[in-house]
Amino acid sequence: MKMQNELFFNDATELAQLIRNGDVSPVEVVKAHLDRIEQTNPQVNAIVTLAENALSEAKAAEQAVRSGQPLGPLHGVPFTVKDSIDTAGVMTQRGSPIFRHRMPSQDATSVARMKAAGGILLAKSNLPEFSYWIESDNLLSGRTNNPWDLTRTPGGSSGGESAAIAAGMSPLGLGTDLAISVRGPASQTGITSIKATHGSIPMTGIWPRAPRRFWHVGPMARSVRDIALAFSLLSGPDGQDAFATRAAHPLPDYGVQPRPLRIGWMTGPGFGPVDAEVAAVVKAAAAALQQSGVQVEEVEIAALERDFALDVFNRLHVMEMKPAFAAAVAGREPAEIYKMARTMLSLPDTPLQAYIEAEQAAERIRDGYADYFSRYDALITQVLPTPAHKHGIEQLVIDGQTVDVSWLQAATVPLNVTGLPGIALPFGQSSEGLPINIQITGKWHDEATILAIAARLEALSPVAGLHPRQLTAE
């Protein structure tokens, strides 16, 4: 039997195999992660609610193994869930006193599918108020810290999830993504995540849903094989989310030799300024692919230079998101409303003509990517323009240029505007020892290709398997 303190940095795929083989029990695995939460969460504040029946479910899962019952691909493996995603019988409070003690009666589709695969809900993770910001802080459960450096943010809006996974409190989790929120936090904490093609995974049971054409739910983990497995389990229609119409995505077969690929890479223009260390990591990933036999070349996408995707997104989503926020805070005391909702509600409405122009700009960006993908199989870029920043800052100085902190989204938001799939994968570190991820973007509904590329890059990554040092000492 493995000692519990050796289990919490195993990925979900390994844990599932250990359980199937009888090398460890689901009870041991769940206890190891609960102990890790007890040890590290006071520093990180990633976990906001524990699922009270996790251990009883682990005991039932252990009995199923002993009795020879059929086992799902995640049988006995714990997972965590962002606190905007409904979990039956476990509070879902959306980072706000307005929803304090809110207890859903049904699981979100994504949660139900994880459970159906044998996963055990362990806990809920922190987020910004209403899932709206790039730092995870709120009036209800406070601020989450980055396990690599507690003075820095783990990102948002799935920052609690990214911090929990990076710190070993969870092997696998569910986040949501409006503009950055599974890929940015993954980059700031050095884990892996996927934002699949829009509509691949149903958003049923997740709030806010508006503007649903930009919202995604996606798995977060410490390995490519884990996000590939989770995506295969989560994808497919549920008969409730009208955007989710495409058949479930099969688990990729990494034993199959991929076809010859042509891949482009870029750090700009079109994404704004980028830190030199981040740009160097993107270039290093491209060089590693090229040295492994893949055709790789530096590219530009003119559509991203003509229309700045972050500006387009801001003009579109404010008009569609404000009514949901206004309804949520109606009649509430000002003390219950944090700065995220206040900021959203204070923004001016987009004039109709500007809204129409933004819609047309979004179409031009989609067309620009379509043209690019008529010649290339994937695109390698940065996820963020800089490594994880200090808490609470409002501006960033990147490559000598001062920009609003919201510019962190410049390379991620084009995938929300277009619905394209993207994977965040660690491939380097800054001079301060902070993680730096790359983003792999693929064609619509071609997650198989970017997962295969991600698996290849993971094998080549100089930082694969690294964990936050300050939290690993026993």
Side-chain angles (χ1 to χ4, degrees), residues 94-117:
R94 300 168 176 171
S96 171
I98 292 171
F99 297 106
R100 188 191 304 271
H101 303 315
R102 177 181 174 273
M103 188 75 73
S105 59
Q106 289 185 308
D107 285 322
T109 295
S110 51
V111 174
R113 289 177 175 178
M114 294 286 281
K115 289 182 176 180

Side-chain angles (χ1 to χ4, degrees), residues 13-29:
T13 301
E14 175 70 10
L15 290 172
Q17 187 63 53
L18 290 170
I19 290 169
R20 281 193 295 271
N21 293 346
D23 295 324
V24 298
S25 75
V27 173
E28 288 178 284
V29 173

Side-chain angles (χ1 to χ4, degrees), residues 224-449:
V224 172
R225 64 181 183 175
D226 277 6
I227 62 167
L229 173 60
F231 175 52
S232 73
L233 299 170
L234 294 167
S235 61
D238 68 347
Q240 299 179 72
D241 184 342
F243 280 107
T245 59
R246 195 173 180 89
H249 191 286
L251 184 64
D253 183 356
Y254 293 125
V256 175
Q257 184 66 28
R259 69 185 189 281
L261 298 174
R262 188 182 185 199
I263 299 173
W265 71 274
M266 60 180 284
T267 58
F271 296 145
V274 59
D275 181 89
E277 290 185 318
V278 173
V281 169
V282 175
K283 188 173 182 179
L289 276 177
Q290 189 168 42
Q291 291 166 9
S292 72
V294 178
Q295 182 180 351
V296 182
E297 57 193 81
E298 189 172 7
V299 298
E300 293 183 1
I301 298 178
L304 295 172
E305 299 175 54
R306 174 175 176 175
D307 296 295
F308 187 44
L310 180 58
D311 176 59
V312 173
F313 171 79
N314 286 337
R315 284 183 284 158
L316 292 174
H317 90 278
V318 169
M319 286 284 284
E320 300 179 42
M321 205 167 184
K322 278 179 69 174
F325 279 37
V329 305
R332 294 291 182 170
E333 295 295 326
E336 295 181 291
I337 307 170
Y338 196 36
K339 58 186 177 183
M340 314 307 174
R342 291 178 187 274
T343 298
M344 166 60 79
L345 295 172
S346 70
L347 294 173
D349 290 344
T350 304
L352 179 58
Q353 185 59 40
Y355 185 88
I356 293 171
E357 290 172 355
E359 285 281 19
Q360 293 170 343
E363 291 181 6
R364 290 193 295 268
I365 294 171
R366 283 191 285 268
D367 288 345
Y369 274 107
D371 174 70
Y372 172 83
F373 283 117
S374 69
R375 291 169 282 119
Y376 296 90
D377 296 289
L379 175 67
I380 309 296
T381 69
Q382 68 271 30
V383 179
L384 305 176
T386 184
H389 58 80
K390 297 286 186 178
H391 289 294
I393 67 172
E394 296 182 357
Q395 291 184 322
L396 296 167
V397 179
I398 305 172
D399 195 28
Q401 184 174 338
T402 301
V403 296
D404 185 84
V405 71
S406 66
W407 278 50
L408 284 178
Q409 305 165 105
T412 58
V413 77
L415 276 61
N416 298 78
V417 170
T418 61
L420 287 163
I423 293 173
L425 176 78
F427 205 83
Q429 284 187 310
S430 73
S431 56
E432 296 178 290
L434 298 170
I436 297 175
N437 280 29
I438 58 168
Q439 179 172 253
I440 309 168
T441 302
K443 302 175 185 178
W444 291 274
H445 300 293
D446 191 16
E447 283 80 4
T449 294

Side-chain angles (χ1 to χ4, degrees), residues 26-59:
V27 173
E28 288 178 284
V29 173
V30 168
K31 281 185 175 178
H33 287 88
L34 288 173
D35 289 348
R36 184 65 173 173
I37 290 171
E38 183 178 9
Q39 175 196 24
T40 61
N41 199 54
Q43 302 170 68
V44 179
N45 192 35
I47 298 299
V48 297
T49 304
L50 293 174
E52 294 181 358
N53 60 350
L55 272 177
S56 62
E57 290 188 3
K59 291 176 183 177

